[in-house]
Amino acid sequence: MSLVDTYGRVHRDLRVSITDRCNLRCTYCMPPDFADWMPGDHLLSVDELMTVIEVAVEQGVTSIRLTGGEPLVRPDVVDIVRRINALPKPPKINLTTNGLRLVDLAHPLAEAGLERVNISLDTLDRDRFSRLTFRDRFLDVIAGIGAAQGAGLHPVKVNTVLMRGINDDEAVPLLRHSIEHGWHLRFIEQMPLDAGGSWDRGQMVTAAEIHDLLGEHFRLTPIPGRGSAPAEEFLVDDGPAKVGIIASVSKPFCAACDRLRLTADGQIRNCLFAREETDVRATLRDESLSVAERRERIAKLLAVSVEAKLPGHGINDPSFIQPDRPMSAIGG
Ligand SMILES: C[S@@+](CC[C@H](N)C(=O)[O-])C[C@H]1O[C@@H](n2cnc3c(N)ncnc32)[C@H](O)[C@@H]1O
Ligand code: SF4
């Protein structure tokens, strides 16, 4: 059985948000005084997460990405990875993190079966990092990236959101530094998903601008065969170094999307920008159902969500409305 939508897209990638909590306050994600957290009893337990993941894997999902919020603030994250890896047909397990806790967790996560990490970093300047995240934790991220490399989580991908007049002067230094340190850098266009609702299209640094900025200093050669990957990849100065650019807004890649999302409070979303969600938490907690009935219902709910998926995210339509929930609650 597989999760195919009405446009023929086969869904193989499940992004699982395991918490909406975070130990940073990135300006494009949540305001410094953000307090609109999910109620604790809405967060899925490891057993509940595993039920949805197992059913999804039975329906053809081959890749799980743990995210959040900050997935490494959840105390049972290593256990979650271990249990996913112990499934009869284990999917690939990746994780997106701000890196703060990787010094302690990179090795246990790798041993538990984590294959790779994406680490977010928008600047190489400690003071600027503090201004952009409201926490003086730059050195922890750098140490975390080193810990991930030391634990064999290769290649470590580093995600950067460039903001006009704020850190767009760092595109070239970030790529130089990444090449020197063996990081695989990817730039992500800023998306209208912040809790503060402050996204401004005119302020967004577009993929074309990023390409031009880098092109003044490096020879970029497109790498074909992107498949369903969000990033357009380029060889830098004939390789082996690469750089990725994720043009979510200016060049959407929805036609090849194979992603589905589970929020930390048990809602299936068929798109980052979906206006509707499919609740699985109620089914997971319905004690009148047997285990088999619960799993059967969840399989149906996954199929219903996939079937309702729209052809594209619609950010560029005049009628676009930003989702009610911010990125930290949906799972990036
Ligand atoms: C929501 S975070 C969750 C995982 C983890 N806390 C982290 O920062 O990597 C996932 C990714 O989304 C990115 N992100 C958050 N808000 C964004 C926005 N408005 N536009 C583009 N990317 C965003 C972050 O930079 C990060 O790379
Ligand atoms: S982008 Fe990640 S690290 Fe930054 S505030 Fe959002 S969830 Fe936290």
Side-chain angles (χ1 to χ4, degrees), residues 223-240:
I223 303 174
R226 170 177 172 186
S228 59
E232 209 173 336
E233 298 282 355
F234 299 88
L235 273 186
V236 181
D237 292 341
D238 300 327

Side-chain angles (χ1 to χ4, degrees), residues 275-294:
R275 305 276 311 152
E276 281 170 23
E277 301 179 335
T278 306
D279 178 43
V280 290
R281 189 178 72 239
T283 302
L284 286 165
R285 296 184 179 177
D286 185 342
E287 291 186 358
S288 70
L289 299 173
S290 68
V291 172
E293 284 168 337
R294 218 172 273 158

Side-chain angles (χ1 to χ4, degrees), residues 22 26 44 98 107 166 229 327:
C22 189
C26 304
L44 298 191
N98 61 28
H107 273 97
I166 294 174
M327 183 78 130

Side-chain angles (χ1 to χ4, degrees), residues 18 70-75 77 95 97 99-102 105 109:
I18 58 175
E70 172 47 40
L72 301 188
V73 302
R74 190 160 160 152
V77 61
L95 179 122
T97 172
L100 296 191
R101 298 208 58 226
L102 276 175
L105 290 174
L109 285 166

Side-chain angles (χ1 to χ4, degrees), residues 14 16-18 42-56 66 74 76-84 87 262-264 266 280-281 283-285 287 291 294-295 298:
L14 180 66
V16 181
S17 174
I18 58 175
H42 284 196
L43 298 186
L44 298 191
S45 66
V46 183
D47 286 342
E48 290 169 337
L49 286 169
M50 286 310 302
T51 301
V52 183
I53 291 170
E54 274 174 52
V55 172
L66 300 181
R74 190 160 160 152
D76 45 17
V77 61
V78 175
D79 190 32
I80 294 171
V81 172
R82 188 174 295 115
R83 287 187 56 182
I84 299 171
L87 291 176
L262 172 65
T263 65
V280 290
R281 189 178 72 239
T283 302
L284 286 165
R285 296 184 179 177
E287 291 186 358
V291 172
R294 218 172 273 158
R295 294 168 65 97
I298 288 165

Side-chain angles (χ1 to χ4, degrees), residues 41 96 151 169 178 247 291 299 317:
D41 62 342
T96 303
D169 56 337
S178 298
V291 172
D317 299 347

